[in-house]
């Protein structure tokens, strides 16, 4: 149902308040079981993956371009509220200029168990305490594009469904199966499912990505869990003590490392 706002007192607009407060939103969105999808393409990918909207928010000029999406729920979006307001009002509400057309508050889906994901996967990525939402979204985009079967995130990793993660991933976060681990590290979980755990890091007995790729090529059925560390200090020492392999990407010109999202893309491609 189309709701043309005259003011911002509707209690259903609470979902869109304090959008620029990362710490607050990271906490409240998971507590309320919601996430935000921004732009027609991202909203469409979320819907196609089974997520349902709580409401939509847009300025009048975007209503027609969103018509096809809204009519999936009936004429004028059926019973789903579609809040329409001037761009000035929307900026007052959210704290930023809504320049990507439309936004939707979406219901989260229950996360699968890690064991369920590992049953059928051959290649997975584990994100250890990666706190930058941009990096998380970029890793998901590479995982989707290159065919990684699942992503597991550690308890302290940033939320893959946070607005910036979703936006950077171009909505591919909805297409790659993922879940959050309750504890970390969990080497036994992977070994029970036949996975070799490979850390992308420097350390003792480190082998190059080229050498490891050649090793994997001799056994295409080999199941690998790639562990990627945080942007600052990399993987924890206790994690490195539990892995089966430590793998490095060779560098030139004195460069010591790549951004974690770039390193993930290189690794996924090399070992696809």
């Amino acid at each position: 149902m189309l709701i043309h706002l005259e003011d911002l007192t509707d209690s259903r607009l609470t979902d869109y308040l304090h959008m620029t407060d990362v710490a607050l939103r990271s906490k409240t969105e998971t507590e309320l079981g919601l996430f935000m999808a921004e732009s027609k393409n991202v909203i469409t990918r979320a819907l196609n993956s089974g997520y349902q909207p709580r409401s939509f928010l847009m300025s009048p000029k975007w209503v027609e371009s969103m018509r096809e999406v809204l009519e999936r729920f009936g004429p004028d979006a059926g019973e789903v509220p579609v809040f329409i307001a001037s761009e000035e009002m929307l900026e007052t509400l959210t704290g930023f200029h809504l320049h990507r057309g439309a936004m939707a508050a979406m219901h989260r889906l229950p996360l699968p168990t890690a064991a369920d994901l590992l049953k059928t996967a051959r290649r997975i990525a584990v994100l250890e305490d990666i706190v930058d939402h941009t990096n998380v979204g970029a890793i998901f985009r590479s995982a989707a594009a290159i065919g990684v079967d699942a992503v597991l995130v550690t308890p302290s990793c940033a939320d893959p469904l946070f607005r910036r993660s979703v936006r950077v991933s171009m909505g591919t976060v909805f297409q790659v199966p993922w879940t959050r681990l309750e504890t970390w590290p969990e080497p036994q979980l992977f070994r029970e499912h036949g996975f070799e755990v490979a850390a992308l890091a420097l350390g003792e007995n480190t082998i190059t990505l080229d050498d490891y790729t050649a090793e994997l090529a001799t056994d295409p059925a080999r199941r690998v869990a790639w562990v990627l560390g945080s942007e600052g200090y990399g993987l924890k020492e206790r994690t490195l003590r539990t892995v089966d392999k430590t793998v490095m990407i060779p560098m030139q010109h004195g460069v010591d490392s790549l951004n974690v999202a770039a390193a993930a893309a290189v690794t996924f491609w090399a070992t696809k």
Side-chain angles (χ1 to χ4, degrees):
M1 51 187 164
L2 304 184
I3 302 171
H4 292 269
L5 297 172
E6 299 296 330
D7 58 55
L8 302 177
T9 59
D10 192 310
S11 61
R12 292 171 295 182
L13 294 172
T14 303
D15 287 351
Y16 300 97
L17 287 172
H18 310 297
M19 292 292 298
T20 57
D21 189 328
V22 176
L24 178 64
R25 295 296 304 195
S26 296
K27 182 173 185 290
T28 59
E29 287 186 10
T30 52
E31 289 178 347
L32 297 174
L34 70 92
F35 69 92
M36 310 305 295
E38 190 179 359
S39 85
K40 180 180 178 180
N41 288 341
V42 169
I43 292 169
T44 299
R45 279 188 167 165
L47 296 175
N48 290 344
S49 298
Y51 293 92
Q52 293 300 309
R54 292 159 64 113
S55 64
F56 295 93
L57 181 72
M58 65 194 73
S59 64
K61 70 179 182 180
W62 294 104
V63 174
E64 192 55 41
S65 65
M66 286 291 294
R67 184 75 62 184
E68 182 180 354
V69 173
L70 300 179
E71 289 183 350
R72 294 172 69 153
F73 306 95
D76 289 336
E79 296 302 310
V80 181
V82 181
F83 298 109
I84 303 169
S86 67
E87 293 186 1
E88 292 75 18
M89 287 182 68
L90 296 181
E91 187 165 352
T92 298
L93 174 65
T94 63
F96 69 98
H97 177 57
L98 192 63
H99 63 281
R100 296 178 185 273
M103 181 175 289
M106 311 284 290
H107 293 283
R108 290 180 181 242
L109 294 174
L111 290 174
T113 66
D116 284 341
L117 294 182
L118 295 177
K119 285 177 184 176
T120 57
R122 184 180 68 84
R123 284 192 316 148
I124 67 167
V126 181
L127 312 189
E128 182 187 87
D129 300 354
I130 297 177
V131 297
D132 187 285
H133 293 96
T134 298
N135 283 334
V136 171
I139 292 171
F140 267 88
R141 187 171 181 181
S142 294
I146 301 172
V148 171
D149 298 312
V151 176
L152 307 184
V153 301
T154 63
S156 297
C157 185
D159 181 13
L161 293 185
F162 190 73
R163 180 170 63 95
R164 189 178 301 148
S165 298
V166 171
R167 184 173 72 241
V168 172
S169 81
M170 295 296 290
T172 56
V173 67
F174 308 129
Q175 299 171 298
V176 179
W178 71 277
T179 197
R180 187 175 292 277
L181 294 164
E182 294 183 3
T183 59
W184 178 257
E186 282 196 278
Q188 192 57 32
L189 171 68
F190 298 100
R191 288 170 188 142
E192 286 174 355
H193 290 84
F195 277 85
E196 182 171 271
V197 181
L200 201 63
L202 295 175
E204 291 185 19
N205 303 314
T206 300
I207 64 173
T208 68
L209 182 59
D210 290 339
D211 287 343
Y212 191 50
T213 299
E215 189 178 313
L216 294 177
T218 65
D219 184 7
R222 201 153 155 188
R223 309 174 92 186
V224 179
W226 281 105
V227 185
L228 303 160
S230 74
E231 300 85 346
Y233 49 78
L235 292 170
K236 295 181 171 65
E237 284 297 324
R238 68 173 184 268
T239 299
L240 292 174
R241 288 194 295 268
T242 68
V243 303
D244 302 302
K245 298 278 186 179
T246 306
V247 183
M248 63 169 289
I249 299 172
M251 302 286 166
Q252 298 182 33
H253 301 295
V255 177
D256 60 355
S257 66
L258 295 175
N259 166 275
V260 65
V266 170
T267 301
F268 297 162
W269 173 257
T271 59
K272 64 179 181 175

